[in-house]
Amino acid sequence: MRSSLCLWPSLLAYVYSVPFSPNHQQPLQGNRGQKAIGHNDLFFPNPSHPIPYKIPFTWDEQEHYHERHVNGSEGGYYRRSSCPALNTLANRGYLDRSGRNISYDELSQAVRVVWNFGDDNILVVLEPTRQNHPGLDRIDLDMFADGKMQYETNCPAAPTRNDREIGDNVNMNRTLFEQLISSSTDGVTISLEDAAEHHHRRHNDSKTNNPNFRFGNQGAICSLAQYGNMFGVLGRAGVHGLNTLYVEDVKKFYLDDDWPVGYARREMPFYSPEANSYIDRMSRHIGYQIQRPYPPNDKDDIDVEPETALFQIRPKWKFPDTEEDLGL
């Protein structure tokens, strides 16, 4: 999400304020915060709890049982997106389980309730979708990856999905998934640097195989945000800090389209400044800086990412082992 995910002042000024129709599916609330409808709840620090972290997420298993479907299954009845976070919401019944005829308000509220995704990040995904499907108040999940959404919410070099020009860009490509898992340096976690290096491989593969490949600043954000959102939403305390991403959680997320075992929900919404910090760290590891706002030629046939990455030509940094390593 993409997530994804540049902070635009014009988007921040826009707030979804249309009330839910009583004739439509009402948002399904979790029992952990998020009492508001239409916007994120705020985190209020207090002396005994000054810093937000994550609280174990609980749910009614009778209502929110897991039932996985892939896009196009049951004769095309079930619709799913290329995003496992949205698919989880449908598989768990926080969205209509068919993945069809879902309003933008229902989508917004569901990602707040389960993932505590920030309103600005929600807008960055939903507003282009609304603009590219004019006149529609309700959509199917696979419409996030249709031809109208190319280079908007659907982009080349996605972590586990084909480029649309190459093949199925909605359902997961198992080979790409295995490459993502194998990017882990220690076999247990995936660092931001691991993710950046996996992304760079995807970038070069797409550039080689996709005849219509272009990768402007918006495309870079679209692709890198899919990694960054996992750190922000699924990350937990570990060797890489408070948002350490664990391989076992990534497997559960992608293979089952479900939240990880022991999933804990953020207390602070996942806003775009945090998302952008992950995106920028990955792009700098590769060797370039994303431009914001986008330059006028960003949708031309350009590629902002170098084919040879900085991490490929410089020695890997590591903690010194001896005084000699420190030059003492």
Side-chain angles (χ1 to χ4, degrees):
M1 302 127 77
R2 75 291 124 260
S3 304
S4 196
L5 297 171
C6 181
L7 185 59
W8 289 91
S10 60
L11 287 179
L12 287 177
Y14 183 90
V15 178
Y16 283 101
S17 58
V18 180
F20 284 86
S21 166
N23 297 322
H24 292 161
Q25 175 181 336
Q26 295 295 314
L28 301 170
Q29 303 278 329
N31 67 348
R32 291 288 182 181
Q34 194 49 50
K35 299 178 177 62
I37 302 293
H39 60 84
N40 293 118
D41 284 331
L42 299 179
F43 173 79
F44 294 99
N46 63 67
S48 63
H49 188 54
I51 299 174
Y53 187 51
K54 298 186 175 182
I55 297 177
F57 186 72
T58 58
W59 63 96
D60 182 349
E61 185 64 28
Q62 290 188 331
E63 186 172 15
H64 297 302
Y65 58 88
H66 180 256
E67 183 178 275
R68 183 175 184 269
H69 297 279
V70 298
N71 191 53
S73 59
E74 298 295 328
Y77 175 73
Y78 287 98
R79 305 293 177 85
R80 291 296 184 262
S81 76
S82 58
C83 173
L86 292 181
N87 295 342
T88 296
L89 299 176
N91 290 339
R92 285 283 183 175
Y94 286 88
L95 296 173
D96 191 293
R97 290 182 179 272
S98 70
R100 304 162 66 99
N101 199 35
I102 300 170
S103 77
Y104 291 103
D105 294 316
E106 291 164 357
L107 281 161
S108 299
Q109 192 64 15
V111 296
R112 293 185 192 105
V113 169
V114 175
W115 306 119
N116 206 6
F117 219 60
D119 290 334
D120 53 350
N121 270 332
I122 293 171
L123 280 172
V124 172
V125 175
L126 293 191
E127 190 58 18
T129 309
R130 186 194 297 268
Q131 292 175 1
N132 282 284
H133 298 94
L136 296 181
D137 293 327
R138 309 179 77 83
I139 61 173
D140 300 340
L141 290 183
D142 61 338
M143 293 169 68
F144 283 106
D146 66 16
K148 296 179 180 180
M149 298 309 298
Q150 280 296 87
Y151 304 100
E152 296 280 357
T153 61
N154 185 254
C155 50
T160 66
R161 265 61 176 179
N162 295 317
D163 293 6
R164 184 176 175 84
E165 292 86 350
I166 295 175
D168 182 355
N169 66 322
V170 178
N171 292 311
M172 187 179 70
N173 180 317
R174 187 62 181 250
T175 299
L176 297 181
F177 168 75
E178 295 294 345
Q179 290 173 0
L180 172 62
I181 296 303
S182 67
S183 70
S184 169
T185 302
D186 61 11
V188 177
T189 66
I190 297 175
S191 69
L192 280 162
E193 288 69 32
D194 292 338
E197 293 177 17
H198 175 263
H199 158 76
H200 185 65
R201 176 178 179 178
R202 288 287 300 117
H203 165 273
N204 286 355
D205 287 346
S206 291
K207 188 170 186 176
T208 299
N209 297 313
N210 183 349
N212 299 316
F213 182 84
R214 63 177 169 86
F215 205 72
N217 292 275
Q218 184 176 8
I221 286 178
C222 177
S223 180
L224 288 169
Q226 296 179 56
Y227 299 88
N229 292 344
M230 285 196 291
F231 287 92
V233 172
L234 302 182
R236 48 193 171 96
V239 295
H240 304 300
L242 293 179
N243 284 332
T244 297
L245 189 61
Y246 285 84
V247 168
E248 62 180 343
D249 293 345
V250 175
K251 287 181 176 180
K252 180 70 173 175
F253 189 54
Y254 273 109
L255 294 177
D256 295 341
D257 282 333
D258 194 16
W259 53 59
V261 175
Y263 167 63
R265 179 182 182 269
R266 298 173 59 100
E267 292 183 287
M268 176 73 79
F270 182 55
Y271 291 123
S272 57
E274 181 182 349
N276 280 322
S277 72
Y278 301 144
I279 291 168
D280 288 341
R281 181 168 159 183
M282 287 185 282
S283 69
R284 286 196 297 269
H285 183 67
I286 295 166
Y288 70 104
Q289 179 67 52
I290 293 171
Q291 294 185 54
R292 303 179 182 88
Y294 306 138
N297 68 335
D298 197 58
K299 292 191 175 182
D300 295 343
D301 292 330
I302 63 172
D303 184 7
V304 299
E305 184 167 324
E307 289 188 35
T308 301
L310 187 61
F311 66 80
Q312 293 174 311
I313 59 177
R314 69 180 181 186
K316 287 186 178 292
W317 185 89
K318 65 174 184 176
F319 283 106
D321 295 321
T322 66
E323 290 185 352
E324 183 177 352
D325 292 334
L326 287 169
L328 299 176

